[in-house]
Amino acid sequence: MTSPSIPGLRAEFGPAVERVLVSCGDTIVYVTRDRSHDVLAWLKDAPGHQFNYLTDVTAVEYRDSELPLEVVYQLRSLSRKADIRVKVALDKRAPLQVRSVVDLWRGADWLEREVYDLFGITFTGHPDLRRILMWETYAEGYPLRKDFPLRGHFSRAEQTRQALAANPEAHYSLEELSIAEAFDELPPDMRQRLARGERGYLK
Amino acid sequence: MSLRTVEMALATPGVDRDGNASRVPLGVGGYDEDFGAEHMLVNIGPQHPATHGVLRLVIELEGETVKRCIPHVGYLHSGFEKLGEYRHYNQIIPLTDRTDYLSPMANNVCLALAVEKLMALEVTERCEVLRVIACEMSRIISHLVWLGTTGIDLGAFTPFLWSFQERERIYNLQESWTGARLTTSLTRVGGMMADIPEGWEAGLRDFTRTFPDTLKEVDTMFTRNAIWIGRTQGVGALTADEAINYSLSGPMLRASGVDYDVRKDRPYLGYESYDFDVPIGEHGDIYDRYRIRLEEMWQSNRILEQALDRLQGLKGAPINVDDPRVILPPKSRAMSDMEAMIFHFKQVMEGVKPPAGEAYMGIENPKGELGYYFVSDGTAKPVRWRIRPPSFLNLASLPRMCEGALLSDVIAINASVDIVMGEVDR
């Protein structure tokens, strides 16, 4: 049984709704990348739909490298006790970009940062898109991508060398230091290193 | 104390620049007109007991008021989701023990339910009752840790000892059932790792009978305690709209007045047939979160009693589904029967193979809604295993709750979120 929201969605967005399928009782809607934000905003507020709760944002990459990456939004209507899963397929040959939904749900803030961190998908319009689980200077790539080996791209020796060379002083971001006006009080050499964007690893 | 007495108490006699006698505020030599105009940066953690794990907070202070709080997470990142892509479905169960390590049995149950949803399997009645017992025992021990540590954060040491004493009793039951205190790995796809041992019900029955005494003691100690009320009421409050907008779940969401409990709204394991209430808060502050967690322990105790009654009528009933694709044959048959041996071999070497498709299964964990999202391509290892971590999403609202609070309230607010860094960082 597909979700009762599908006819309304098709009438409102027409060809932007690419595909609808059901898996294990859950309705999945594929929408185009250009209209994803509009579709999600409509689902959130349209009377009779009101998917006001964002359960989860994540991404899926399939083992078949020809298949596109998918950004997955799990939506729920708390009042109607209904769920819907919205997916946006991203062609790997084009830049991996999709509109951020932080303006609709503040809860998407960290979820989108995590998808960016682990999959390398950019959310345009996100107020603070930086790595969250990995550290900001992490240079090995995006861990949940299928071309990322389980042990990482760098050798164990290189990983150890970088960990030992890390500079604990540089664990504050420039932004954090500037808000507290503490930046000016740092020793000049550290100020220069931070200004160069050098943050705890050897070049 | 009137303003005048404060001046008297905090000032010492001194001499100003012109040699006249004056009063100098105590401890502030050469009083600076600009004092307090600059913002101060305070770093808390990652090694700090009040952050409940390896959480790091960078806090911008104006005087003692928090202007901005920037949490840094990821110090305990273990890559569980990536590891899961290299394992059979049953081999993922030990990974779930280690995410929310304060309620390992509930995580095990969620994983089994997610794979069963993917395979459209229905478990036996006895298995369902045992899983309900596992979930509710987890809820009690997780809330007890929350209660004890939050009490310590706010200066009350004794309830910590009471709650850990009760928690120990559940841990002993957990140990005699699963063989482990923490890494329980209790469930399997289609059933359970083990049935409860002989006479185990009596131990749990004893617990459910005496546990309310401890709850009453905690209630007497905290609920109308002036210090507790002063530190918690009106602190870190979120409105219902904000709580929904931040995707909060569990006690955090319900404290803000949103009536949403996965057990009631999308029942699993037959929760609709148990008689229990879901407490709803009103103000969304730390005090309401405390009241809700306390009440949830009472309700969990009620559910445990009902489940024990049901278990009596299911003596000797099977705990595993009768399906050789997912359940190992008994060892004695595998050693004597050719067909059973083949199933045993295929099960161990190849693993459970759900059909291609995807499933999201959310359950009401102590911290909130825990969801496991599996994408399968028909092989024995998932294409994607996503954990929807309740503590991660609840913690994301911390900067909002800390805005304008005092530095000492940050500790209380952070404690009220009930985070487990193993789950936040995964």
Side-chain angles (χ1 to χ4, degrees):
Chain A
M1 251 287 283
T2 55
S3 159
S5 296
I6 298 302
L9 206 55
R10 280 199 194 280
E12 184 74 24
F13 293 98
V17 179
E18 290 174 325
R19 203 146 54 97
V20 177
L21 57 101
V22 177
S23 182
C24 302
D26 306 335
T27 303
I28 305 162
V29 190
Y30 282 82
V31 300
T32 55
R33 187 175 69 176
D34 314 335
R35 301 298 302 277
S36 68
H37 187 275
D38 302 335
V39 170
L40 290 164
W42 186 82
L43 280 171
K44 185 188 175 206
D45 293 323
H49 302 285
Q50 289 146 334
F51 289 97
N52 57 344
Y53 186 83
L54 179 73
T55 313
D56 200 9
V57 178
T58 186
V60 178
E61 185 178 15
Y62 291 91
R63 294 204 173 101
D64 181 352
S65 59
E66 298 292 307
L67 289 172
L69 256 146
E70 289 172 354
V71 180
V72 185
Y73 300 89
Q74 307 265 9
L75 304 186
R76 176 173 304 151
S77 166
L78 293 185
S79 48
R80 292 170 43 242
K81 301 188 183 16
D83 290 77
I84 196 164
R85 191 175 303 149
V86 178
K87 285 190 171 188
V88 182
L90 298 177
D91 191 340
K92 284 190 210 170
R93 285 159 299 189
L96 298 172
Q97 270 184 5
V98 69
R99 276 272 310 269
S100 164
V101 293
V102 176
D103 53 335
L104 302 175
W105 292 282
R106 289 303 308 273
D109 184 349
W110 282 25
L111 292 168
E112 290 184 344
R113 277 177 68 186
E114 190 187 327
V115 174
Y116 163 74
D117 185 1
L118 303 178
F119 285 92
I121 296 168
T122 311
F123 291 86
T124 50
H126 190 289
D128 183 26
L129 196 66
R130 50 194 172 92
R131 285 188 179 268
I132 183 163
L133 294 179
M134 312 307 283
W135 52 102
E136 282 183 55
T137 53
Y138 186 70
E140 293 190 50
Y142 303 106
L144 278 181
R145 296 291 295 273
K146 293 291 182 210
D147 57 7
F148 187 95
L150 189 57
R151 281 177 179 277
H153 279 299
F154 294 170
S155 67
R156 187 48 61 91
E158 173 64 16
Q159 287 171 348
T160 312
R161 194 184 70 81
Q162 289 198 359
L164 292 174
N167 176 8
E169 285 173 336
H171 278 239
Y172 293 99
S173 67
L174 278 177
E175 188 209 6
E176 281 166 0
L177 291 169
S178 62
I179 54 173
E181 298 168 13
F183 182 66
D184 298 331
E185 290 163 19
L186 293 173
D189 66 311
M190 190 177 162
R191 238 179 332 189
Q192 281 166 11
R193 277 187 285 130
L194 284 169
R196 280 202 302 270
E198 204 179 301
R199 301 249 205 93
Y201 63 100
L202 296 178
K203 284 276 154 56
Chain B
M1 215 189 285
S2 72
L3 198 62
R4 195 176 158 72
T5 38
V6 173
E7 273 174 14
M8 293 296 285
L10 295 182
T12 61
V15 182
D16 71 2
R17 290 195 192 109
D18 303 327
N20 301 319
S22 73
R23 303 186 72 81
V24 180
L26 188 70
V28 188
Y31 184 72
D32 185 0
E33 286 293 317
D34 218 19
F35 185 73
E38 268 182 39
H39 288 188
M40 191 192 279
L41 198 67
V42 174
N43 178 80
I44 304 179
Q47 282 91 11
H48 190 287
T51 57
H52 296 237
V54 280
L55 171 66
R56 175 168 169 246
L57 303 171
V58 176
I59 295 169
E60 183 189 1
L61 284 177
E62 186 183 40
E64 212 186 333
T65 313
V66 176
K67 298 309 268 185
R68 185 142 63 137
C69 166
I70 306 171
H72 290 263
V73 300
Y75 290 92
L76 207 56
H77 181 55
S78 328
F80 286 136
E81 290 177 11
K82 182 83 175 173
L83 282 169
E85 293 170 11
Y86 292 79
R87 275 162 168 71
H88 294 161
Y89 286 90
N90 273 326
Q91 290 172 336
I92 296 176
I93 290 169
L95 296 180
T96 65
D97 294 335
R98 290 150 176 84
T99 54
D100 180 356
Y101 45 76
L102 295 178
S103 59
M105 295 203 292
N107 303 344
N108 301 156
V109 170
C110 185
L111 188 117
L113 285 172
V115 184
E116 281 152 15
K117 184 173 178 186
L118 202 54
M119 301 183 77
L121 273 179
E122 275 201 21
V123 294
T124 64
E125 205 185 339
R126 185 173 168 87
C127 178
E128 280 194 344
V129 176
L130 288 177
R131 284 180 181 183
V132 167
I133 290 179
C135 284
E136 297 310 317
M137 278 167 63
S138 295
R139 197 178 318 282
I140 289 176
I141 50 176
S142 176
H143 284 355
L144 283 174
V145 172
W146 175 82
L147 187 74
T149 52
T150 304
I152 285 198
D153 282 349
L154 297 182
F157 195 88
T158 317
F160 171 81
L161 299 175
W162 296 340
S163 62
F164 269 59
Q165 211 169 13
E166 292 299 319
R167 180 172 170 265
E168 189 63 23
R169 295 170 67 195
I170 292 241
Y171 264 62
N172 287 338
L173 290 168
Q174 202 166 295
E175 190 180 7
S176 63
W177 183 3
T178 67
R181 289 167 67 77
L182 195 135
T183 52
T184 52
S185 301
L186 174 69
T187 59
R188 294 290 180 269
V189 175
M192 307 293 274
M193 180 265 289
D195 204 339
I196 49 175
E198 197 71 36
W200 187 88
E201 298 100 312
L204 188 60
R205 189 70 82 176
D206 186 48
F207 175 82
T208 57
R209 200 173 52 244
T210 51
F211 180 52
D213 296 342
T214 305
L215 288 178
K216 277 179 208 152
E217 278 180 326
V218 171
D219 194 45
T220 320
M221 190 78 162
F222 279 150
T223 308
R224 277 165 296 280
N225 179 323
I227 301 172
W228 182 259
I229 289 173
R231 289 296 307 270
T232 57
Q233 280 192 353
V235 178
L238 286 177
T239 64
D241 286 342
E242 277 178 319
I244 293 172
N245 203 246
Y246 273 99
S247 299
L248 302 187
S249 53
M252 289 281 287
L253 181 66
R254 289 192 286 275
S256 294
V258 182
D259 183 3
Y260 184 76
D261 186 314
V262 187
R263 291 175 295 176
K264 288 279 188 198
D265 291 24
R266 294 187 306 167
Y268 53 95
L269 293 176
Y271 264 113
E272 67 276 19
S273 60
Y274 290 87
D275 182 22
F276 68 102
D277 300 319
V278 176
I280 307 294
E282 195 180 334
H283 308 97
D285 56 5
I286 304 177
Y287 187 74
D288 280 19
R289 288 172 203 147
Y290 151 73
R291 289 294 295 270
I292 281 179
R293 291 200 175 100
L294 194 67
E295 183 57 33
E296 279 190 3
M297 285 194 271
W298 281 100
Q299 299 299 333
S300 290
N301 208 44
R302 268 176 81 188
I303 299 174
L304 280 178
E305 278 169 355
Q306 294 168 44
L308 279 172
D309 291 343
R310 283 182 200 197
L311 213 52
Q312 282 199 320
L314 294 167
K315 272 216 163 68
I319 51 165
N320 293 333
V321 291
D322 184 18
D323 187 340
R325 291 177 306 144
V326 293
I327 292 295
L328 282 176
K331 193 71 180 171
S332 56
R333 275 195 59 216
M335 302 297 271
S336 58
D337 179 10
M338 185 65 188
E339 201 189 8
M341 198 181 109
I342 292 170
F343 278 131
H344 190 283
F345 179 80
K346 281 181 81 78
Q347 197 31 246
V348 173
M349 299 307 288
E350 293 177 3
V352 177
K353 283 185 189 160
E358 54 180 72
Y360 172 86
M361 181 71 207
I363 71 164
E364 186 70 31
N365 238 34
K367 311 278 184 297
E369 180 184 340
L370 173 73
Y372 286 151
Y373 171 55
F374 275 112
V375 180
S376 159
D377 59 356
T379 60
K381 293 171 184 172
V383 172
R384 175 92 171 96
W385 169 43
R386 158 74 179 164
I387 309 168
R388 189 252 185 219
S391 339
F392 181 78
L393 281 149
N394 289 351
L395 184 65
S397 66
L398 187 71
R400 167 72 193 81
M401 288 191 286
C402 288
E403 261 171 44
L406 297 179
L407 182 60
S408 53
D409 288 341
V410 172
I411 302 299
I413 293 169
N414 181 42
S416 77
V417 181
D418 192 13
I419 49 166
V420 169
M421 291 315 283
E423 184 179 72
V424 173
D425 297 341
R426 282 153 291 139

